[in-house]
């Protein structure tokens, strides 16, 4: 779901094709890297009785990842030249 949201937003946003072709694979690799780090922490530090019934690691991961993605997307949207950032070209 997180990866689908990311790709759909990048494809729908009016930026140059070159920028999208660089940003999509980079973002997907970053999402997978965070998932691998999450699984690594679960295997190293998981205690059944500690978090049982309090919070699910998957929900916590999604919240943190969405916050990180929103920051990265904000930076991507506001970066680049003025031609890329214009939604409607001047008449």
């Amino acid at each position: 779901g997180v990866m689908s949201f990311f790709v759909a937003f990048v494809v729908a946003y009016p930026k140059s094709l070159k920028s999208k072709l660089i940003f999509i694979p980079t973002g997907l690799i970053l999402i997978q890297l965070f998932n691998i780090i999450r699984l690594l922490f679960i295997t190293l530090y998981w205690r059944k009785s500690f978090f049982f019934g309090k919070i699910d690691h998957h929900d916590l991961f999604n919240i943190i990842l969405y916050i990180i993605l929103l920051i990265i997307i904000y930076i991507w949207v506001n970066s680049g030249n003025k031609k890329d950032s214009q939604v409607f070209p001047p008449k």
Side-chain angles (χ1 to χ4, degrees):
V2 175
M3 292 176 14
S4 298
F5 159 76
F6 176 75
V7 172
F9 179 83
V10 173
V11 168
Y13 195 80
K15 275 229 179 200
S16 68
L17 182 62
K18 180 182 176 186
S19 177
K20 291 178 183 183
L21 290 177
I22 293 171
F23 193 60
I24 289 174
T26 304
L28 292 177
I29 290 170
L30 187 67
I31 291 169
Q32 288 300 319
L33 182 65
F34 281 129
N35 197 30
I36 291 169
I37 291 170
R38 171 182 69 124
L39 294 175
L40 178 69
F41 280 132
I42 288 171
T43 58
L44 292 176
Y45 298 109
W46 186 69
R47 303 281 186 264
K48 185 175 182 178
S49 62
F50 184 70
F51 284 115
F52 186 71
K54 295 181 181 169
I55 190 164
D56 183 31
H57 66 85
H58 184 72
D59 294 335
L60 183 63
F61 170 73
N62 281 343
I63 292 167
I64 292 170
L65 191 60
Y66 274 120
I67 290 170
I68 291 170
L69 280 178
L70 288 174
I71 292 168
I72 291 170
I73 287 173
Y74 177 79
I75 293 168
W76 179 70
V77 166
N78 292 317
S79 69
N81 59 24
K82 289 189 176 211
K83 181 182 176 191
D84 274 351
S85 63
Q86 287 180 347
V87 176
F88 299 105
K91 294 181 180 181

